[in-house]
Amino acid sequence: MKVKKKTSRIIKLIVMVMIMVILAGCTPDSNEQSSGNGDSKSKNTLVISSVREPDTIDVHKTTWVDNSTANIYDTLLKRDLEGNIIPGLAEKYDISDDGKIWTLYLDGNVKFHSGEPLTAEAVKKSFERFLEYSAVKFLAGPVDKMEADGQKLMVYFTEPFAPFASGLTTAYLAPMDPMALDEYGEDFGKKPSASGIFKFEERVRGSSITYMKNEGYNWGPPFVDNKGAPGFDQYEFRFITDDDTRVLEFKKGTTQIMTSVPPNYIKELEATEGVEIDSMLEQGITYLGFNNKKPMFQDKRVRQAIALGINRDPLVEFALEGYAKPLFGPLPQSIPGYSEKVEGEAAQKYTQNVEKAKLLLEEAGWKDTNGDGIVEKDGKPFSFELWLSDEPVMQRIAQILQGQLKEIGIVVNISVQEPAAITANTPKGLHDAILNMYGWSDPDILYMLFGKGSSLRMHYEPEELHNLLTKARQTMDTDERMKIYEQAQQFLVEESPWVPLFVRENVTAYRDINGFKQNPYSQSIIFNDITSK
């Protein structure tokens, strides 16, 4: 009997060990998952919380990048802390007199995460893939062909393209590791590799992305103190959509950096011992965009009336707790091409004036005929559906706009949409209007929004505006280029195909670390100098 009991205990022990082995071998179910190196989580880990999980780490297959995806890549050019374009992986570049040939001279000391050297051929391979796959291939401009010669890459354009330099400062056009491209091809996003300060380790869909520091990195930009490998062994980005949970995790100390701090929590965190707050203006604006193909918005007087019906101050004060700046013109201060003159003219023209708004609507044939406060035309009340994302701040903004526009007799029906639905359906013109935002580092964003063939949201492509925006992107002299953008902005202010509302302050909280800073022109955290306290 004793032998049987002993045997039973041994069998149970063996079963338990087998279960533990099986569990240890399990990996999270994800499309982009572990690098498979078997390393355990390091205690020397910096944890960053974000709201929005990236769709992919493959920058050729996405339309947006942020801190959680960009740092695996290093860019050919960079913007310094004053906004100047400076060398990156390209030590220098030349532009031909006609603006059609760009020659990039690459740093010969750089290596990809695989150990492969950075060469012009590798960069050419990345560019070709970008032009084949990317939904934002317009960032590269009208490329005709490319030639690689050792460390020299020549890019030929069919016409001059001044915004190319801005594109080269982004991860979209960053060189990818040719060994990873060859090995993984379409699945590059599952095992991404480039030449950035981070190396990919693991992705858990719906939860986190973890990177290792790039031990071989020693080509940091001039504006950082530490040119070599960063100070932590691992960098974990956790994706927490619920604001309360994200703040709680940060206050508990389980995350050290919290991006996109909810406006209603900023003052509380400012008063919390050990917490530091850093903010910068976003490189883009939040706007109310009309589908200008809809009959109700085709009369300029109607568009101007709506602009006059809006008071931006409550949007900033109540929806964003004051962490934004009201804006009337097309470009914010954080993007080259911003014009104080245009902003002043726009503010003078569109500061809220309810009576003037009602008068313009009446001139356009919209009148309150039955005394219910809602204007009508041909027996049909003026109402439109406003699409927006499920972000709480955007919903608060929409509610305020709804109340303000009702004062001038317009009914706004709020429709919260999935981001994927907005992306898919606004180019088809299925919406009436949209509450949205844009972000980009170059005034060429106006071409992307209003140039012919590029207008995916507002469906507004007048010949005069298109010609101005085309001329601006073909003008290589910076001063002349900015003058053209000023004319384009004045056109937009007069015609009002949209209503610029404000530029947000991007607020980040951090704790238990030293050396935190952000680059307001690349809109990124500078991880090079961050160390543990």
Side-chain angles (χ1 to χ4, degrees):
M1 191 73 179
K2 289 182 180 178
V3 173
K4 285 184 178 179
K5 285 184 178 180
K6 184 176 181 181
T7 303
S8 176
R9 285 197 298 269
I10 292 171
I11 291 171
K12 287 180 180 178
L13 180 61
I14 291 171
V15 170
M16 288 176 65
V17 170
M18 288 177 67
I19 291 171
M20 290 172 68
V21 169
I22 290 168
L23 290 175
C26 291
T27 57
D29 180 22
S30 64
N31 293 328
E32 294 171 7
Q33 57 187 358
S34 170
S35 63
N37 58 21
D39 292 341
S40 60
K41 293 278 186 185
S42 167
K43 290 183 180 179
N44 186 23
T45 300
L46 182 67
V47 183
I48 307 100
S49 68
S50 299
V51 180
R52 185 179 181 188
E53 181 180 5
D55 50 357
T56 177
I57 311 173
D58 183 344
V59 292
H60 291 174
K61 295 186 176 182
T62 187
T63 57
W64 62 282
V65 296
D66 62 13
N67 286 298
S68 68
T69 54
N71 289 282
I72 198 171
Y73 303 93
D74 208 351
T75 58
L76 291 161
L77 300 178
K78 295 185 181 294
R79 287 193 185 272
D80 65 16
L81 301 183
E82 284 72 48
N84 304 305
I85 292 180
I86 62 171
L89 298 181
E91 295 180 313
K92 63 175 182 175
Y93 66 99
D94 298 326
I95 307 173
S96 62
D97 291 340
D98 63 2
K100 294 182 180 181
I101 306 172
W102 292 57
T103 305
L104 306 170
Y105 301 88
L106 306 177
D107 187 338
N109 298 314
V110 175
K111 293 187 184 299
F112 290 105
H113 297 154
S114 65
E116 285 288 297
L118 174 76
T119 64
E121 191 60 46
V123 178
K124 179 174 178 284
K125 185 172 187 171
S126 292
F127 274 9
E128 288 170 343
R129 185 177 186 269
F130 173 82
L131 292 171
E132 181 179 358
Y133 289 112
S134 180
V136 292
K137 62 183 67 176
F138 51 79
L139 298 181
V143 175
D144 182 26
K145 63 178 182 177
M146 290 171 281
E147 294 176 355
D149 179 15
Q151 296 302 108
K152 183 172 72 173
L153 178 71
M154 300 181 73
V155 184
Y156 296 82
F157 293 89
T158 57
E159 59 189 40
F161 185 62
F164 188 53
S166 293
L168 294 176
T169 67
T170 71
Y172 294 111
L173 290 173
M176 292 178 165
D177 191 330
M179 281 190 67
L181 288 177
D182 288 340
E183 185 172 356
Y184 302 111
E186 289 289 309
D187 292 329
F188 177 85
K190 296 179 181 179
K191 307 279 186 176
S193 179
S195 62
I197 198 168
F198 294 168
K199 296 174 70 173
F200 176 72
E201 182 173 6
E202 179 185 43
R203 175 167 193 172
V204 181
R205 278 282 185 182
S207 178
S208 64
I209 299 175
T210 304
Y211 300 98
M212 300 175 288
K213 69 178 176 181
N214 180 2
E215 294 277 10
Y217 183 90
N218 63 0
W219 47 87
F223 53 83
V224 302
D225 297 325
N226 171 31
K227 312 294 184 189
F232 288 83
D233 295 330
Q234 290 182 318
Y235 296 81
E236 181 184 351
F237 290 84
R238 293 181 187 168
F239 307 109
I240 306 171
T241 56
D242 182 73
D243 285 349
D244 295 339
T245 303
R246 200 154 46 93
V247 172
L248 180 62
E249 290 296 313
F250 178 75
K251 291 172 75 173
K252 283 164 55 180
T254 52
T255 62
Q256 289 79 53
I257 298 175
M258 179 169 59
T259 61
S260 302
V261 178
N264 53 313
Y265 277 105
I266 294 173
K267 288 183 171 58
E268 177 185 338
L269 290 176
E270 282 178 329
T272 303
E273 187 177 354
V275 173
E276 301 287 339
I277 297 290
D278 188 77
S279 69
M280 58 185 175
L281 286 180
E282 290 187 345
Q283 278 191 319
I285 67 173
T286 298
Y287 62 87
L288 169 62
F290 309 125
N291 178 352
N292 287 273
K293 287 185 177 179
K294 295 279 184 172
M296 71 184 85
F297 297 124
Q298 289 180 353
D299 191 320
K300 178 175 75 173
R301 293 170 296 187
V302 169
R303 302 193 300 263
Q304 290 178 334
I306 292 174
L308 280 163
I310 293 172
N311 182 358
R312 291 156 178 78
D313 291 338
L315 302 180
V316 170
E317 292 304 318
F318 297 116
L320 290 143
E321 304 285 333
Y323 292 94
K325 289 189 176 181
L327 194 79
F328 293 84
L331 294 176
Q333 294 168 307
S334 48
I335 295 180
Y338 167 81
S339 167
E340 286 188 14
K341 177 184 177 184
V342 170
E343 179 62 21
E345 291 171 351
Q348 185 173 10
K349 189 175 183 67
Y350 293 119
T351 295
Q352 188 185 39
N353 187 327
V354 171
E355 294 308 314
K356 188 175 180 181
K358 288 180 177 178
L359 184 61
L360 281 171
L361 287 173
E362 189 170 342
E363 289 176 4
W366 293 93
K367 301 177 182 178
D368 178 10
T369 56
N370 59 9
D372 66 351
I374 305 303
V375 296
E376 302 171 354
K377 187 176 184 180
D378 300 326
K380 185 179 179 181
F382 196 144
S383 69
F384 67 85
E385 189 173 70
L386 178 62
W387 286 11
L388 60 145
S389 70
D390 59 358
E391 183 188 359
V393 168
M394 292 296 253
Q395 293 183 54
R396 291 197 292 270
I397 292 164
Q399 290 164 3
I400 295 171
L401 291 175
Q402 185 181 51
Q404 291 181 349
L405 294 183
K406 191 171 184 180
E407 289 184 45
I408 65 170
I410 295 176
V411 175
V412 177
N413 298 310
I414 296 172
S415 177
V416 176
Q417 302 275 325
E418 290 291 329
I422 293 174
T423 300
N425 293 325
T426 49
K428 299 174 185 176
L430 301 182
H431 61 304
D432 292 335
I434 183 172
L435 182 61
N436 204 11
M437 61 184 296
Y438 75 72
W440 186 233
S441 60
D442 193 277
D444 192 54
I445 183 64
L446 297 179
Y447 184 93
M448 300 175 199
L449 290 168
F450 298 108
K452 282 190 176 179
S454 301
S455 181
L456 304 179
R457 304 286 181 261
M458 271 72 74
H459 297 276
Y460 182 77
E461 304 173 332
E463 193 75 24
E464 182 180 348
L465 179 61
H466 175 77
N467 290 341
L468 282 169
L469 295 174
T470 300
K471 184 180 178 182
R473 65 191 342 217
Q474 294 177 355
T475 300
M476 303 308 292
D477 181 272
T478 301
D479 292 338
E480 287 301 313
R481 186 174 176 235
M482 297 308 157
K483 288 178 184 176
I484 300 169
Y485 281 121
E486 186 170 81
Q487 295 176 50
Q489 290 178 78
Q490 288 173 321
F491 182 95
L492 286 167
V493 168
E494 172 60 28
E495 295 297 318
S496 194
W498 64 344
V499 184
L501 298 173
F502 54 81
V503 52
R504 291 195 200 194
E505 287 186 47
N506 187 346
V507 180
T508 301
Y510 62 94
R511 57 178 302 159
D512 307 325
I513 55 175
N514 293 318
F516 180 90
K517 57 185 173 183
Q518 300 186 91
N519 186 326
Y521 295 96
S522 65
Q523 296 281 292
S524 59
I525 296 171
I526 301 172
F527 286 98
N528 306 65
D529 296 330
I530 297 178
T531 58
S532 180
K533 276 190 177 179

